[in-house]
Amino acid sequence: MIKIAVLVSGNGSNLQALIDANLSGQIVGVISNKPNAFALERAKNAGINTAVIEHKQYPNREAFDAVMHQQLLDWKIDLVILAGFMRILSAKFVQAWQGKMVNIHPSLLPYYKGMHTHERVLNTGDVWHGCTVHYVTAELDAGQALTQGVLKVNLQDDVDSLASRVHVLEHLIYPQ
Ligand code: GAR
C-alpha cells in the first residue's frame, strides 16, 4: 500500500475528507508548519503521526524544506498531498517530489492562481468557479490538472458562501 503524507497549515477539512475516505493508500503522517493548526488534532484523533516543522525557525525556504524532505524520507513516503499548506516550496523540494506531489487549489486553474480566489471571482463577475487538483511543479499552481470540481456562482454569493461551497466540492474530488 502506498504511503501518503499530508501537508497542512490550518483547519484541515480536506485532511479530514481524506481520512474519512476509503483511500487505496495509507496516510502515515501529517506535517504542519503551524503548531496550532486544527488539522493536527484531526490527525491525532485518527491515530496518524504528526510533525510540526515551523518555517519561522529556519533561516530560509531551502532549510525549512530540507527538514520536511527528511521527515518524508523517514516515513518512507510515496505520495505527498498538500491540503491547505500555505507555503511556497523551493525548486529543489519540488524537483525531489515531482510526479509524487499533488495540491488542491480553490479555483478553476489556470484561472486565479495564488490567493483570495473567491474574492477575485466575485469581483470579476464570473459565472463558474470551483477547485482543481493538480500536480505540483516549480511554477505556482501551474502543474498538470488531475480533476476539477465546478459550481455556478449565484447572485447572492459572497466570499464566505463561495468558500464553503467550494469546500464541499474539494472534499468530494480530493479523495478521488
Ligand atoms: C482549501 O480551500 C484549499 O483549496 C486552500 O486552502 C483551503 C484549506 O482548507 N488551498 C490553497 O489556497 C492553496 N494555495 P482546509 O484546511 O479546511 O483543508
Side-chain angles (χ1 to χ4, degrees), residues 82-101:
L82 308 184
F85 182 71
M86 303 308 275
R87 299 295 305 168
I88 291 174
L89 296 162
S90 63
K92 190 175 174 196
F93 184 91
V94 171
Q95 184 65 40
W97 294 95
Q98 187 119 13
K100 299 176 185 172
M101 180 158 60

Side-chain angles (χ1 to χ4, degrees), residues 34-99:
K34 299 264 190 179
N36 56 355
F38 185 63
L40 291 167
E41 299 303 314
R42 297 181 189 271
K44 284 173 194 157
N45 289 339
I48 299 169
N49 295 313
T50 59
V52 174
I53 303 173
E54 281 189 87
H55 59 279
K56 286 185 199 155
Q57 297 197 350
Y58 299 91
N60 54 46
R61 211 177 279 291
E62 286 71 23
F64 166 67
D65 287 359
V67 176
M68 283 203 300
H69 182 68
Q70 189 55 52
Q71 179 65 78
L72 296 171
L73 294 181
D74 290 348
W75 282 337
K76 300 190 185 333
I77 293 302
D78 303 299
L79 173 68
V80 179
I81 299 183
L82 308 184
F85 182 71
M86 303 308 275
R87 299 295 305 168
I88 291 174
L89 296 162
S90 63
K92 190 175 174 196
F93 184 91
V94 171
Q95 184 65 40
W97 294 95
Q98 187 119 13

